[in-house]
DNA sequence: GTCTATAAAGTGATAGAC
DNA sequence: GTCTATCACTTTATAGAC
């Protein structure tokens, strides 16, 4: 995952892949039938880890939802849940640990291979679905398509910190994302989401 | 540009590059001193085209700004200028024509080479600067850093349609971006920006 | 299941003809 | 200025020893 993410599919040689794993180059052919098989296996790995992580959040959130629906301050609860989601996503996008697999996902977004289906079905679709559920409860009078589009613009605000990382850091005058920077990003996105939901 | 964008720097072979240009492989060495020189020349080309385009918008906008400053409805004019900017950016991001160079820029964002400086100095920085100017006039009481960050979240909302294109299309149930889809994206982003500026 | 060795194809750069 | 031909090297895949 690290080698593919750092060097890209083509630039990553089977030798650097096997070296990083501490095994011989021939092991790739034996275990994964070739470089491409290893690439797909990496995405299966990412998809499963993400599925577990998102699945946990989604389950927790959906169970909390039925309680929130009855509460008198339901909108506040929905908004808080959305805020916790964006906080988590910002944490992930700004953290350097996400770099390898984030690069892989971005590549797949531009020219999807069968690996993209794995990602979307296991976690992206699920995550977008949960967010849409929340936004739809906050703005039930709007049609589904509008709320789905609203979710996309929320996603974009957090995604930028991965996809346009170098440009953002140069624009902000940041050399990397410090704890206080991340805090102000979270606050800004929470405020934006609250405002755009309010309409 | 097309070959590098489609295949990436490493995957693009000098032979496929020269074939696409309808010349011999040896011509790359003669004209650009090698594959890397050609790569940099592509970015010089992109940077110059963009510089011209953004420079025009920026000049027009700055000259209109002094007139707007005196107007009684100045905030409306700033917001409208910002809306025209996001409209244009959305037009570019959703258009398939931008795919080759957008891919190149995304790649550079993740692991910047000297080519990234060309891009930032010639058009990204300029564009972000103009947007920051507008946001700062709309929210003069906020400090510069906050307004710069607000610009980033606006950028993210339009950038998503390039960076997360495949996922968004699957989420929205769109096979590609139709005219009416683009119109609703523009409306959504304009509404979001207005709301988040209002606070 | 892991290794060495090697085959077969592709890579970027470049010398030299025209 | 453009071509062919070729060099030196790297690539992935795989045969065969252990």
């Amino acid at each position: 995952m690290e080698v593919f993410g750092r060097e890209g599919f083509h630039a990553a040689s089977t030798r650097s892949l096997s070296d990083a794993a501490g095994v011989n180059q021939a092991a790739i052919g034996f275990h994964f039938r070739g470089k491409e098989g290893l690439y797909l296996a990496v995405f299966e790995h990412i998809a499963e880890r993400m599925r577990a992580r998102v699945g946990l959040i989604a389950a927790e959130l959906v169970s909390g939802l039925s309680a929130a629906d009855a509460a008198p301050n339901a909108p506040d609860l929905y908004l808080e849940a959305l805020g916790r989601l964006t906080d988590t996503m910002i944490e992930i996008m700004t953290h350097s640990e996400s770099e390898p697999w984030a690069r892989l996902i971005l590549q797949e977004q531009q020219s999807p291979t069968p690996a993209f289906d794995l990602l979307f079905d296991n976690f992206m679709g699920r995550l977008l679905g949960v967010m849409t559920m929340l936004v739809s409860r906050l703005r039930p009078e709007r049609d589904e398509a509008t709320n789905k589009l609203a979710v996309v613009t929320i996603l974009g605000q957090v995604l930028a910190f991965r996809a346009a990382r170098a440009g953002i850091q140069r624009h902000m005058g940041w050399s990397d994302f410090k704890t206080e920077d991340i805090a102000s990003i979270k606050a800004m996105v929470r405020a934006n989401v609250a405002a755009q939901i309010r309409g």
Side-chain angles (χ1 to χ4, degrees), chain A:
Chain A
M1 187 169 86
E2 274 164 26
V3 176
F4 273 133
R6 191 174 54 246
E7 312 188 10
F9 177 78
H10 289 279
S13 72
T14 49
R15 277 164 187 77
S16 58
L17 290 162
S18 58
D19 285 357
V23 295
N24 191 270
Q25 186 246 358
I28 292 173
F30 182 81
H31 288 284
F32 304 101
R33 308 185 354 138
K35 188 183 179 180
E36 201 147 346
L38 174 55
Y39 184 72
L40 212 72
V42 166
F43 277 93
E44 278 165 15
H45 177 76
I46 294 174
E48 212 202 316
R49 287 186 78 86
M50 287 293 168
R51 199 203 56 76
R53 199 163 167 178
V54 173
L56 210 73
I57 296 176
E60 191 185 325
L61 205 144
V62 169
S63 77
L65 218 54
S66 45
D69 287 340
N73 60 339
D76 292 344
L77 297 176
Y78 300 145
L79 203 59
E80 172 58 23
L82 210 47
R84 272 201 297 269
L85 269 178
T86 55
D87 279 0
T88 304
M89 290 162 75
I90 289 165
E91 204 86 56
I92 292 171
M93 296 291 175
T94 52
H95 202 292
S96 65
E97 193 194 290
S98 66
E99 191 183 329
W101 54 265
R103 269 196 70 159
L104 287 172
I105 294 176
L106 268 178
Q107 275 171 32
E108 282 293 322
Q109 288 270 20
Q110 317 243 342
S111 38
T113 70
F116 186 75
D117 296 327
L118 252 60
L119 292 174
F120 192 86
D121 297 341
N122 279 297
F123 96 98
M124 288 174 103
R126 225 173 281 261
L127 182 62
L128 290 166
V130 173
M131 291 174 71
T132 305
M133 250 172 54
L134 285 170
V135 170
S136 293
R137 304 218 173 194
L138 282 159
R139 295 295 298 269
E141 85 285 2
R142 290 202 300 207
D143 56 89
E144 180 89 351
T146 305
N147 283 329
K148 275 186 174 171
L149 194 55
V151 167
V152 169
T153 61
I154 296 172
L155 176 81
Q157 292 180 58
V158 308
L159 191 69
F161 293 92
R162 204 14 103 190
R165 167 171 280 241
I168 289 172
Q169 288 182 341
R170 204 166 291 200
H171 175 240
M172 297 300 299
W174 295 342
S175 58
D176 62 350
F177 295 117
K178 304 207 194 321
T179 317
E180 74 229 54
D181 302 332
I182 296 173
S184 40
I185 294 170
K186 287 180 184 172
M188 172 65 72
V189 171
R190 275 181 108 116
N192 286 354
V193 171
Q196 84 175 70
I197 289 289
R198 212 179 302 129

